[in-house]
Amino acid sequence: MSSFSSSWLTSPSCNLIDSSSSTPNLILQWLTFLFLSPCPQRVLISALDSLVLLSLLAFAAYKLYSRLNSRGNSSSSITKPLLQEKDSDYRITFWFKLPLLVTILLALTYTVLGILAFTQTKVASWKQIESLFRLFQAIVNIVIVILLVHEKKFKASKHPLAVRIYWIGNFVIATLFAVSAIVRMITVSEKSLEISLRIDDIFSLVNLPLSLLFFVIAIKGSSGIHVIRISDVVVSTYRSISTDRTLSPYAYSSFLSKTVWYWMNPLINKGYKEPLKLEDVPSLPLDFRAEKMSELFQSNWPKPEENSKHPVGLTLFRCFWKQLAFTGLLAIIRLCVMYVGPLLIQSFVDFTSRKDSTATEGIVLILILFAAKSVEVLSVHQFNFHSQKLGMLIRSSIITSVYKKGLRLSSSSRQAHGTGQIVNHMAVDAQQLSDLMMQFHPIWLMPLQVAAALALMYSYVGIAVLAALLGTTIVFLFTLYRTKSSNSFQFRIMTSRDSRMKATNELLNNMRVIKFQAWEEYFGNKIQKFRETEHGWIGKFLYYFAVNMGVLSTAPLTVTVLTFGTATFIGMPLDAGTVFTITSIIKILQEPVRTFPQALINISQATISLGRLDAFMSSTEMDANAVQREENCDGDIAVEIKDGKFSWDDKDENVALTVDELVIKKGDHAAVVGTVGSGKSSLLASVLGEMFKISGKVRVCGTTAYVAQTSWIQNATIKENILFGLPLNIEKYREAIRVCCLEKDLEMMEDGDETEIGERGINLSGGQKQRVQLARAVYQDTDIYLLDDVFSAVDAQTGSFIFKECILGALKDKTVLLVTHQVDFLHNVDSIMVMREGKVVQSGKYDELLKAGLDFGALVAAHESSMEIAETSDKNGDDSAQSPKLARIASKEKESVGEKQSSQDQSKSDKTAAKLVEDEERETGRVNLKVYKHYFTQAFGWWGIALMVAMSVAWMLSFLAGDYWLAIATAEDSSVPSFTFIIVYAIIAVVACIVVMARAFLFTYWGLKTSQSFFIGMLQSILHAPMSFFDTTPSGRILSRVSTDILWVDISIPMLKYYLATSRELTRLDSITKAPVIHHFSETISGVMTIRSLRKQNAFSQENIDRVNASLRMDFHNNGANEWLGFRLDYMGVVFLCIATVFMIFLPSAIVKPEYVGMSLSYGLALSGLLSFTITMTCSVENKMVSVERIKQFTNLPSEAQWKIADKSPPQNWPNHGTIELNNLQVRYRPNTPLVLKGISLTIEGGEKVGVVGRTGSGKSTLIQVLFRLIEPSAGKIIIDGINISNIGLHDLRSRFGIIPQEPVLFQGTVRTNIDPLGIYSEEEIWKSLERCQLKEVVAAKPEKLEASVVDGGDNWSVGQRQLLCLGRIMLKRSKILFMDEATASVDSQTDAVIQKIIREDFADRTIVSIAHRIPTVMDCDKVLVIDAGLAKEYDKPSRLLERHSLFAALVKEYSNRSA
């Protein structure tokens, strides 16, 4: 071997290998000769030079030919220069001058070397080859100089691709030249070396750093010519941002800093010293930000004519193919050097066993080992970092694009997908595609790795490699079959997870109603069933995976047994060097064998995710051209519809609304009236373009604002909700607050207009929410206002004030289209449209329609009959009700000065800095050991831990036993027979297989049991949490725990201080910053009609981008911290390996035997990766334990009172009379906040009908909540039929009451499951209930009858119909006490009168407490309770209150005169 090496190192010959040689090292000899011998090296670089020159020459010839053929066509693109000239200025930087200067020097040097070779070389044949080679090199560099000058002339910001490829290839070959030079310098004496080769060696070492410089420049691509476009505004923005101190150091770090992650040091240091806070983490580099990714994704989306079946995958490939190719290059570099270590084992064993070994040989071997392992370590961690970075960019692109798509979805598409499923697209599908980037390249690299391994094994064991090939093939076929089968599990898991997330989202959104009805157990069981289905599929998948991993873990051992057994059988001798070289190669082969199935699984998951995303991203969008929008247009028409037919479904074109002709002039106030379900809200939606237009024309002239029937409020301050992105104009803002009657409400709130509103406006009353969103619309100052029943949730006085001050005042010059059931306001509008069954059946002015009769006449008649009592009451005289002061007492501004002052003083004294939605709880420092104990002992206690440790120890010992047996049996002085050697090794392998399989099953079962236990604990904790928890916790925060965190605990966890301190905090911050992305999206989908009507899509998209950037910056720096640690640990392992190797090879063989050198090296080669893997896994487990920590936070939530108390259950017939006593009842929402109810004392006798009235926000709905104990009394008692309700279980209390809440809530399912969720009533009873609540005809008309679909939130039913369905539930329940919280606010007077009649008949002997804004609704009650500012101001019969100066009398008068 030594003589052969020196011959090819020093000889210019290109034919030195003896093909007939039978040595097993033939392949290795050929490889080393091809890459390290002078002649083949020159052939390689000459081939590269020729390719570059030919490509440039061909392109230039093509340009010239095309230019000659297109002289007449000056605009032809082919006539343009090779490097495009741009209308711009430019600046030459150091990075242009440096390569230009170096290339000129190289050209001169090659010329000189060519001349020296011609004059100094003694061998004639080599003289011509070397001199021509050097001159050819000089020509290539001269051509590159010309191209660089060309770049300057045409201001090219990038180097040509051909030149960049040349520089990359040149660096690889220059490295080979340098390696040959080092070996020659060490092993060949100067006398026996040709002088030209000695000069060549010196030049090769000098040239290596220059080639590295060009390699870096090629990777960067930038020419160093900084182009300054005059019109490019982005430049100034870029500069201002790039100088930002908070920008990640990565953005401006040097190449070396990025190579070794030195840029992470400042953050690592800070994280080590103290727990990191959000503001400590730098912002993302500009090129990685979500806005750039969103634009990139959009610009690469396939055009319609491309007819792409997989648009998301194609777009991602177009966006990121360069990054994908770069990570592939890193993977190839690693592949090239990973087998150097095993190949050196034989050399080290031979070195230690020979007596004539020299120190120089040992040092060379160690240097080669060090260089190879260094390149491997660097390439591995750069691959990891860039793959994770690429995954991060893909996740960013997906999330922002899904969000933007959500803003564009049509109504039917939005209902079809549902909020829960779309949240999964953002939380799960985007993550699956992100994770794929780490597993993508192993798929195509696997055949190369296996081929290289088998080729190397062949050189050692010859034909016995066929056994290894057979074993590997069987393992792969097994893996492919099993992975294909696991695809169905993946799909089922994701489908069941979607269902669970939808149900969870529904639970969180409607928790108040669920608690009112005591349905927590029903909905909890519903979620638990979905979870059990999901958990069942996860279990099947993980057990399937456990078998796979058991087989794959033992496959290398099995393949080794087969290989050595075959080699022994054919009589091939096995020594220590051969044995441990083979085992090391097979261990390396274990990586592709192990990662290949995981890569296939990830690809199958990603394929499913891509399919889901394709379906979502290809969903029907709202047709932007359905409505012809014009701003600042001429003419006097504001809204016009002609021959319009509209549908809520994009596909079946079922006509839901027909408008033959509708014209509303600028400045007109038009009203839309009609019975429940007649199509009033649909008419507004058609004007906004929210419905699918089948035919006709819709034209809107001016900007629009929409106020929805169901209030949509953001989780922000009241001021932020009203401003809605516009700058503050204090006068305009105060006027909006005044006309919407919000001034008194703000005075009573803790922080005024800076008070934070909970999710979905949960801490505001229905009327307050309605007025806040109306104020938002007024402040936007648009041309056209579409108001959908804005008076339904406000009391009579407030409604009158808003109509006069807002509709007829602030909006007097605006075009208003008002949907309303308040017939008494219709005198004052310019036109009225009457709707029935989706058509405008009448239109005109009030008097015209009244004369015509028909539908409008019926509505007015119903209203007038309901007003008779109120009108009669006026005859009691002016003194009783017409006092201006009294008539205005319940109204906002007219409160007496003394009362107002005391109210303000009380409010101010109770104010605190309490924040409604607190920042998310985050632990700091190490994950508490109690979290680990909680996780590991959750399933089987300490015995489980003991068993797992025992199995792990047995697993390690079984593998160690095999290697020790190999060392003993292959020692030079060993007398173990070949047959015994193989039999013992095979037995050890069988034992290892059994132990590994048992361990895999045990760990899987333990992980599954633990995760299910956590989920059930968290679900029960959430279900038992008090309502205040849901008021102050955004649903996104809960959803992130039941989606991402549970996903980690389900799958990831079963399968060092300095670094860990930073990584752990970054993981916590990453988890915290993901929740706002999900929450913001859920909020956006709920209010998408409002957002689109005000054209605020861009502002909301920017908010989404900001939140995504906040989340990704944690992700990016977390990945940086991982690789910072991994690189340093692996490099320490390399250094340690080389130092240990020095001792092993230079100590006497009596101390360290050759076979133990081989075994030690086979372990040592894996040391660097193992050290990094062990620490990274430790850190990964701790990072994933953050999920356990977060789940644990939600398993220990403060609980509301017990649902049932065994020894305090009320009698079965309780309440039997329905008597309610309130004794000094005081209520506040949270500690340190003002009292909402301030000491109410009264008695409601059994069977009485009590109407509760008062202005919006006075405490009416709070009274209902405290009677159901959604809020516990701060002081006082509530006694019902002799039982203090605070002493009994919550379900015993709530299940005995009936309630129709303020906001009608329907759940996804059918009519049957909504009216009878618990399934305890017969079909006959359900139909009878539907008939009584006026819905029988509507439901019977549907083909599915009781199985008719109800989508998420009941969006396919009108608000009025939803309220009637809620009424139907109560009809079935027939509770002794019934609470109605504005139960008929969204129905017309006609339907209201019918419902009130039904309630009087069906609930004649029941106690009814009814909150109402319609005075006729409470006029026939036995008593009326007037609540004002949390006090019971009046409580008596309506007739008695009308006989004296009372707030109620003033209220009645206000109501009867409101239309005047």
Side-chain angles (χ1 to χ4, degrees):
M1 181 77 181
S2 178
S3 62
F4 170 74
S5 299
S6 62
S7 63
W8 59 252
L9 277 170
T10 59
S11 173
S13 172
C14 282
N15 187 22
L16 278 178
I17 300 295
D18 181 8
S19 302
S20 63
S21 174
S22 59
T23 174
N25 293 329
L26 184 62
I27 294 174
L28 181 59
Q29 291 174 15
W30 265 108
L31 289 172
T32 49
F33 170 69
L34 286 174
F35 290 114
L36 297 176
S37 184
C39 180
Q41 284 179 342
R42 280 152 178 74
V43 171
L44 280 174
I45 198 163
S46 297
L48 177 66
D49 292 345
S50 301
L51 284 172
V52 172
L53 287 177
L54 282 172
S55 65
L56 291 173
L57 187 64
F59 188 74
Y62 176 64
K63 281 275 188 181
L64 182 63
Y65 172 77
S66 303
R67 185 172 295 181
L68 290 171
N69 281 345
S70 57
R71 280 182 176 173
N73 182 12
S74 60
S75 64
S76 173
S77 63
I78 203 70
T79 61
K80 295 177 183 176
L82 174 65
L83 299 164
Q84 297 294 316
E85 185 172 5
K86 298 179 172 67
D87 180 21
S88 56
D89 197 0
Y90 69 96
R91 179 166 54 88
I92 301 297
T93 67
F94 173 76
W95 285 102
F96 175 79
K97 296 174 184 175
L98 182 63
L100 180 62
L101 178 64
V102 173
T103 309
I104 292 169
L105 287 172
L106 282 174
L108 292 171
T109 306
Y110 283 126
T111 306
V112 171
L113 286 173
I115 295 168
L116 285 172
F118 192 75
T119 57
Q120 299 293 325
T121 306
K122 297 172 184 177
V123 183
S125 59
W126 185 249
K127 180 189 294 187
Q128 293 175 353
I129 292 172
E130 181 70 0
S131 56
L132 287 173
F133 166 69
R134 292 303 181 190
L135 290 173
F136 191 43
Q137 290 286 96
I139 291 168
V140 172
N141 279 277
I142 290 166
V143 171
I144 292 174
V145 169
I146 294 168
L147 271 175
L148 292 175
V149 173
H150 194 70
E151 286 178 9
K152 180 181 177 184
K153 180 180 178 182
F154 294 104
K155 307 164 191 170
S157 59
K158 296 275 185 184
H159 289 300
L161 184 61
V163 175
R164 292 167 64 189
I165 292 171
Y166 170 75
W167 281 338
I168 292 170
N170 187 63
F171 168 68
V172 175
I173 298 171
T175 305
L176 297 175
F177 269 76
V179 171
S180 295
I182 293 169
V183 174
R184 272 195 293 270
M185 285 179 176
I186 295 172
T187 61
V188 181
S189 65
E190 194 168 336
K191 291 179 182 179
S192 59
L193 189 65
E194 173 68 42
I195 185 144
S196 63
L197 280 180
R198 181 60 72 194
I199 294 169
D200 185 62
D201 289 346
I202 295 167
F203 174 74
S204 296
L205 293 174
V206 174
N207 184 45
L208 183 62
L210 299 178
S211 299
L212 177 61
L213 169 69
F214 284 117
F215 174 78
V216 172
I217 293 169
I219 295 298
K220 287 178 67 177
S222 173
S223 66
I225 299 171
H226 185 63
V227 181
I228 306 165
R229 295 177 182 84
I230 310 304
S231 59
D232 197 350
V233 185
V234 179
V235 174
S236 59
T237 310
Y238 183 93
R239 284 179 187 162
S240 65
I241 296 175
S242 63
T243 56
D244 183 1
R245 288 182 182 178
T246 63
L247 193 66
S248 173
Y250 183 89
Y252 47 81
S253 292
S254 66
F255 175 76
L256 181 63
S257 175
K258 289 178 180 176
T259 303
V260 297
W261 290 274
Y262 185 77
W263 58 273
M264 275 297 300
N265 280 14
L267 188 64
I268 296 283
N269 285 329
K270 193 171 185 68
Y272 175 67
K273 291 172 184 172
E274 58 186 35
L276 289 177
K277 297 185 277 295
L278 280 171
E279 57 271 19
D280 293 332
V281 183
S283 59
L284 281 174
L286 301 178
D287 289 340
F288 306 155
R289 294 198 177 171
E291 52 267 40
K292 184 154 186 177
M293 295 303 104
S294 177
E295 288 169 16
L296 187 66
F297 189 90
Q298 198 171 341
S299 64
N300 284 290
W301 185 259
K303 295 180 175 63
E305 56 267 24
E306 293 181 56
N307 199 22
S308 174
K309 292 182 180 177
H310 305 289
V312 176
L314 178 61
T315 305
L316 290 174
F317 179 75
R318 287 174 176 176
C319 291
F320 302 112
W321 70 268
K322 290 180 184 175
Q323 291 91 328
L324 202 59
F326 178 67
T327 53
L329 175 64
L330 291 170
I332 289 172
I333 291 171
R334 184 205 174 194
L335 178 61
C336 291
V337 296
M338 68 191 306
Y339 288 114
V340 173
L343 290 176
L344 290 172
I345 290 178
Q346 182 72 59
S347 301
F348 277 112
V349 172
D350 291 345
F351 178 86
T352 52
S353 59
R354 284 201 333 261
K355 293 183 179 179
D356 60 343
S357 304
T358 64
T360 306
E361 285 182 69
I363 292 169
V364 169
L365 286 173
I366 291 169
L367 287 175
I368 293 171
L369 177 65
F370 179 74
K373 292 300 290 181
S374 297
V375 173
E376 184 184 350
V377 164
L378 190 59
S379 59
V380 165
H381 289 287
Q382 285 293 337
F383 171 82
N384 290 345
F385 178 71
H386 285 283
S387 295
Q388 289 166 337
K389 185 184 78 180
L390 176 57
M392 179 193 80
L393 299 181
I394 285 173
R395 190 159 67 89
S396 172
S397 305
I398 295 292
I399 291 174
T400 51
S401 302
V402 165
Y403 183 88
K404 286 184 175 178
K405 180 71 177 183
L407 284 173
R408 299 194 302 268
L409 282 181
S410 67
S411 177
S412 60
S413 296
R414 201 165 62 247
Q415 289 176 10
H417 289 286
T419 307
Q421 185 178 323
I422 305 174
V423 164
N424 260 4
H425 291 324
M426 299 178 88
V428 177
D429 292 332
Q431 190 66 48
Q432 302 277 28
L433 290 172
S434 175
D435 294 342
L436 174 67
M437 291 305 100
M438 287 290 288
Q439 300 292 340
F440 179 77
H441 293 297
I443 292 292
W444 61 268
L445 276 174
M446 181 272 297
L448 296 177
Q449 280 182 272
V450 172
L454 293 174
L456 292 171
M457 287 167 67
Y458 177 76
S459 68
Y460 284 91
V461 294
I463 199 73
V465 78
L466 290 176
L469 178 61
L470 177 65
T472 306
T473 305
I474 292 170
V475 169
F476 274 125
L477 290 174
F478 169 83
T479 303
L480 284 169
Y481 170 74
R482 300 281 292 183
T483 304
K484 190 175 179 183
S485 303
S486 74
N487 283 1
S488 61
F489 294 150
Q490 289 291 321
F491 181 77
R492 302 271 189 173
I493 288 169
M494 296 181 86
T495 305
S496 53
R497 187 177 294 137
D498 274 351
S499 301
R500 176 173 63 82
M501 288 298 292
K502 274 186 180 178
T504 307
N505 197 45
E506 190 172 59
L507 171 85
L508 297 175
N509 287 341
N510 304 307
M511 184 55 85
R512 189 175 299 276
V513 170
I514 289 167
K515 284 195 175 293
F516 270 140
Q517 304 283 8
W519 285 343
E520 293 101 324
E521 286 177 310
Y522 167 74
F523 280 91
N525 291 337
K526 184 178 174 182
I527 291 171
Q528 210 159 313
K529 281 178 186 174
F530 286 133
R531 170 62 183 175
E532 281 166 8
T533 304
E534 177 193 13
H535 194 253
W537 286 114
I538 289 172
K540 288 176 183 176
F541 168 71
L542 285 178
Y543 281 124
Y544 209 77
F545 192 64
V547 172
N548 289 1
M549 292 310 293
V551 170
L552 293 170
S553 297
T554 55
L557 200 55
T558 309
V559 172
T560 306
V561 170
L562 284 173
T563 306
F564 291 163
T566 306
T568 305
F569 179 74
I570 63 176
M572 183 170 285
L574 295 174
D575 59 18
T578 302
V579 163
F580 287 111
T581 299
I582 294 296
T583 55
S584 294
I585 291 172
I586 290 176
K587 280 176 184 174
I588 292 176
L589 194 60
Q590 183 182 7
E591 188 208 6
V593 171
R594 189 183 68 243
T595 58
F596 185 70
Q598 183 59 49
L600 286 178
I601 287 168
N602 279 18
I603 282 181
S604 72
Q605 288 176 336
T607 304
I608 293 167
S609 290
L610 279 173
R612 287 152 49 90
L613 286 167
D614 283 335
F616 176 73
M617 295 298 288
S618 303
S619 299
T620 311
E621 297 182 4
M622 187 179 80
D623 184 3
N625 300 317
V627 177
Q628 183 184 334
R629 302 178 188 277
E630 299 173 25
E631 293 186 21
N632 305 317
C633 49
D634 299 326
D636 61 347
I637 295 176
V639 178
E640 180 181 18
I641 303 178
K642 283 188 179 177
D643 304 321
K645 289 188 177 180
F646 305 89
S647 170
W648 280 112
D649 197 323
D650 304 328
K651 293 172 184 172
D652 64 7
E653 297 193 356
N654 220 353
V655 178
L657 177 69
T658 304
V659 182
D660 296 326
E661 186 173 11
L662 170 67
V663 176
I664 301 172
K665 294 183 178 179
K666 288 182 180 178
D668 273 7
H669 290 183
V672 183
V673 296
T675 56
V676 171
S678 59
K680 302 182 295 297
S681 296
S682 297
L683 181 64
L684 297 190
S686 70
V687 173
L688 290 168
E690 293 287 340
M691 291 186 78
F692 174 63
K693 187 177 74 174
I694 300 168
S695 62
K697 172 190 170 187
V698 183
R699 179 171 167 267
V700 174
C701 184
T703 54
T704 56
Y706 170 69
V707 179
Q709 188 173 12
T710 303
S711 304
W712 177 70
I713 304 292
Q714 286 183 278
N715 179 198
T717 64
I718 291 177
K719 180 187 280 185
E720 288 166 343
N721 266 279
I722 294 173
L723 297 181
F724 207 56
L726 292 183
L728 176 64
N729 178 327
I730 194 66
E731 291 180 12
K732 184 175 159 186
Y733 175 71
R734 284 176 179 165
E735 179 64 7
I737 287 174
R738 187 190 71 80
V739 301
C740 294
C741 207
L742 280 168
E743 288 176 319
K744 184 176 178 183
D745 299 271
L746 296 182
E747 286 171 9
M748 294 179 69
M749 288 179 185
E750 302 171 28
D751 300 313
D753 62 0
E754 294 295 338
T755 299
E756 188 176 3
I757 302 175
E759 192 175 5
R760 300 181 307 281
I762 207 151
N763 56 325
L764 297 181
S765 70
Q768 286 171 328
K769 282 189 278 189
Q770 193 70 275
R771 285 179 288 128
V772 167
Q773 69 164 358
L774 180 60
R776 175 176 64 210
V778 170
Y779 188 79
Q780 301 306 303
D781 195 22
T782 59
D783 302 317
I784 301 165
Y785 284 83
L786 306 173
L787 311 178
D788 196 352
D789 204 10
V790 292
F791 301 112
S792 62
V794 298
D795 58 84
Q797 305 96 314
T798 308
S800 300
F801 182 88
I802 290 172
F803 186 75
K804 290 172 183 173
E805 297 295 329
C806 182
I807 309 295
L808 302 181
L811 305 182
K812 65 178 183 297
D813 298 324
K814 307 288 186 180
T815 306
V816 178
L817 189 54
L818 171 69
V819 169
T820 185
H821 295 302
Q822 313 293 333
V823 176
D824 38 347
F825 289 149
L826 300 181
H827 293 282
N828 299 287
V829 298
D830 298 300
S831 62
I832 301 166
M833 283 157 281
V834 185
M835 299 201 69
R836 184 181 66 220
E837 296 176 358
K839 294 181 181 177
V840 179
V841 292
Q842 284 179 282
S843 63
K845 291 189 177 291
Y846 184 88
D847 296 331
E848 294 169 5
L849 294 177
L850 200 55
K851 287 176 186 175
L854 302 176
D855 294 66
F856 185 69
L859 284 170
V860 173
H863 171 70
E864 288 181 346
S865 65
S866 69
M867 288 296 295
E868 284 176 4
I869 303 172
E871 295 293 339
T872 305
S873 70
D874 285 346
K875 295 176 184 177
N876 289 329
D878 291 348
D879 291 343
S880 66
Q882 283 188 345
S883 162
K885 186 174 180 181
L886 288 172
R888 296 191 298 259
I889 275 180
S891 163
K892 139 84 200 63
E893 297 111 354
K894 316 298 181 186
E895 190 177 13
S896 68
V897 176
E899 184 177 345
K900 180 174 179 180
Q901 187 63 47
S902 66
S903 169
Q904 286 181 353
D905 291 346
Q906 171 68 27
S907 174
K908 286 174 184 172
S909 67
D910 287 338
K911 276 191 183 184
T912 71
K915 193 179 176 186
L916 178 71
V917 179
E918 298 292 343
D919 292 335
E920 184 164 359
E921 182 181 350
R922 171 170 81 97
E923 305 288 344
T924 55
R926 287 196 55 127
V927 173
N928 197 306
L929 287 175
K930 288 182 180 177
V931 176
Y932 283 95
K933 175 183 171 291
H934 189 58
Y935 180 81
F936 288 110
T937 60
Q938 184 74 18
F940 303 110
W942 290 104
W943 285 109
I945 295 177
L947 182 59
M948 284 184 287
V949 170
M951 291 301 294
S952 296
V953 169
W955 168 68
M956 286 186 288
L957 289 175
S958 64
F959 279 93
L960 284 170
D963 287 333
Y964 268 105
W965 175 247
L966 284 178
I968 293 165
T970 59
E972 287 182 1
D973 55 352
S974 172
S975 58
V976 177
S978 300
F979 181 74
T980 307
F981 161 64
I982 287 300
I983 291 296
V984 172
Y985 194 54
I987 291 170
I988 292 171
V990 169
V991 171
C993 290
I994 294 169
V995 170
V996 165
M997 203 64 75
R999 179 175 173 271
F1001 272 94
L1002 176 67
F1003 273 58
T1004 301
Y1005 178 68
W1006 162 71
L1008 284 167
K1009 192 169 175 67
T1010 301
S1011 70
Q1012 185 69 343
S1013 176
F1014 275 139
F1015 179 84
I1016 291 170
M1018 181 166 64
L1019 178 64
Q1020 291 303 317
S1021 181
I1022 289 169
L1023 289 173
H1024 282 81
M1027 198 62 223
S1028 59
F1029 168 75
F1030 300 97
D1031 290 349
T1032 58
T1033 306
S1035 61
R1037 203 174 284 178
I1038 305 172
L1039 287 171
S1040 69
R1041 280 169 170 82
V1042 297
S1043 58
T1044 311
D1045 289 328
I1046 280 291
L1047 180 66
W1048 292 137
V1049 176
D1050 272 343
I1051 294 170
S1052 291
I1053 294 179
M1055 309 173 355
L1056 290 129
K1057 187 180 177 183
Y1058 189 69
Y1059 149 80
L1060 194 53
T1062 300
S1063 176
R1064 186 177 50 232
E1065 301 309 320
L1066 286 169
T1067 303
R1068 285 183 175 125
L1069 293 169
D1070 182 33
S1071 301
I1072 287 171
T1073 52
K1074 277 178 182 170
V1077 176
I1078 296 171
H1079 164 60
H1080 182 245
F1081 180 76
S1082 301
E1083 190 174 73
T1084 301
I1085 288 294
S1086 304
V1088 72
M1089 277 183 72
T1090 303
I1091 294 165
R1092 292 201 286 221
S1093 75
L1094 291 165
R1095 321 308 265 174
K1096 294 284 187 181
Q1097 293 99 316
N1098 289 342
F1100 273 76
S1101 292
Q1102 186 57 49
E1103 175 68 17
N1104 169 252
I1105 282 168
D1106 292 342
R1107 293 183 186 221
V1108 170
N1109 279 334
S1111 175
L1112 292 186
R1113 81 181 212 254
M1114 304 304 159
D1115 219 357
F1116 178 71
H1117 290 95
N1118 203 4
N1119 293 338
N1122 287 337
E1123 300 314 319
W1124 179 95
L1125 173 73
F1127 173 72
R1128 281 154 178 75
L1129 287 174
D1130 279 359
Y1131 213 77
M1132 281 167 57
V1134 170
V1135 172
F1136 179 77
L1137 170 65
C1138 292
I1139 292 170
T1141 307
V1142 169
F1143 284 102
M1144 279 193 296
I1145 66 175
F1146 289 117
L1147 284 171
S1149 58
I1151 298 174
V1152 182
K1153 294 181 179 180
E1155 59 268 25
Y1156 290 120
V1157 169
M1159 189 178 79
S1160 301
L1161 277 173
S1162 72
Y1163 279 107
L1165 289 173
L1167 178 66
S1168 59
L1170 186 64
L1171 188 60
S1172 171
F1173 178 77
T1174 305
I1175 300 297
T1176 304
M1177 280 296 101
T1178 304
C1179 298
S1180 178
V1181 167
E1182 175 132 3
N1183 290 341
K1184 295 297 181 282
M1185 277 293 165
V1186 172
S1187 289
V1188 176
E1189 185 181 71
R1190 284 160 52 81
I1191 291 170
K1192 191 166 173 280
Q1193 288 169 356
F1194 273 38
T1195 54
N1196 297 315
L1197 297 172
S1199 177
E1200 59 182 355
Q1202 293 180 52
W1203 285 346
K1204 293 191 176 180
I1205 302 173
D1207 58 340
K1208 293 187 178 178
S1209 294
Q1212 281 292 98
N1213 64 342
W1214 180 87
N1216 51 350
H1217 298 294
T1219 302
I1220 303 171
E1221 298 174 44
L1222 308 182
N1223 296 326
N1224 190 30
L1225 181 62
Q1226 297 179 23
V1227 176
R1228 53 169 49 93
Y1229 280 113
R1230 298 192 316 283
N1232 305 320
T1233 59
L1235 286 171
V1236 182
L1237 298 180
K1238 303 170 183 174
I1240 294 179
S1241 298
L1242 54 88
T1243 300
I1244 300 171
E1245 298 296 338
E1248 277 190 337
K1249 312 292 181 288
V1250 176
V1252 182
V1253 296
R1255 73 179 304 280
T1256 304
S1258 58
K1260 304 187 296 296
S1261 294
T1262 304
L1263 178 62
I1264 302 288
Q1265 289 185 61
V1266 78
L1267 284 163
F1268 278 81
R1269 286 177 63 196
L1270 257 65
I1271 309 168
E1272 295 287 354
S1274 303
K1277 291 181 183 177
I1278 302 172
I1279 296 172
I1280 296 178
D1281 282 357
I1283 293 179
N1284 185 339
I1285 66 169
S1286 295
N1287 297 333
I1288 62 174
L1290 292 180
H1291 279 193
D1292 285 332
L1293 172 71
R1294 294 168 185 170
S1295 62
R1296 307 295 176 93
F1297 297 165
I1299 182 167
I1300 308 173
Q1302 191 169 7
E1303 291 183 12
V1305 169
L1306 298 188
F1307 303 96
Q1308 187 171 14
T1310 64
V1311 171
R1312 185 194 298 275
T1313 58
N1314 267 278
I1315 202 164
D1316 179 23
L1318 305 182
I1320 56 177
Y1321 299 102
S1322 68
E1323 192 159 320
E1324 184 184 349
E1325 288 174 305
I1326 293 172
W1327 278 113
K1328 187 177 180 183
S1329 171
L1330 288 172
E1331 182 180 11
R1332 298 299 283 163
C1333 69
Q1334 308 294 292
L1335 276 178
K1336 183 178 180 181
E1337 289 181 12
V1338 177
V1339 176
K1342 293 183 180 289
E1344 305 93 341
K1345 302 293 191 289
L1346 290 177
E1347 304 307 318
S1349 169
V1350 177
V1351 301
D1352 193 8
D1355 288 344
N1356 58 335
W1357 296 73
S1358 75
V1359 176
Q1361 288 170 331
R1362 286 181 235 166
Q1363 272 193 324
L1364 294 177
L1365 265 174
C1366 292
L1367 180 64
R1369 289 178 191 150
I1370 303 308
M1371 297 283 184
L1372 278 173
K1373 197 173 182 182
R1374 298 190 60 78
S1375 305
K1376 188 68 181 177
I1377 300 177
L1378 172 64
F1379 297 93
M1380 299 173 64
D1381 193 351
E1382 329 232 1
T1384 56
S1386 296
V1387 300
D1388 57 279
S1389 298
Q1390 200 173 355
T1391 309
D1392 184 25
V1394 174
I1395 290 169
Q1396 295 301 333
K1397 181 173 179 289
I1398 291 166
I1399 289 171
R1400 281 195 299 274
E1401 292 172 359
D1402 284 25
F1403 296 92
D1405 60 338
R1406 316 281 165 171
T1407 303
I1408 298 177
V1409 178
S1410 174
I1411 295 174
H1413 292 152
R1414 287 190 175 128
I1415 292 302
T1417 305
V1418 297
M1419 287 305 294
D1420 62 344
C1421 289
D1422 298 313
K1423 286 183 181 175
V1424 171
L1425 170 64
V1426 181
I1427 297 181
D1428 188 48
L1431 298 167
K1433 290 292 181 71
E1434 296 169 357
Y1435 179 56
D1436 209 337
K1437 290 182 179 180
S1439 55
R1440 290 182 185 170
L1441 290 174
L1442 291 172
E1443 289 170 0
R1444 61 175 190 264
H1445 295 274
S1446 67
L1447 297 175
F1448 182 66
L1451 190 70
V1452 172
K1453 181 63 181 174
E1454 177 83 16
Y1455 190 82
S1456 61
N1457 290 342
R1458 63 196 283 183
S1459 59

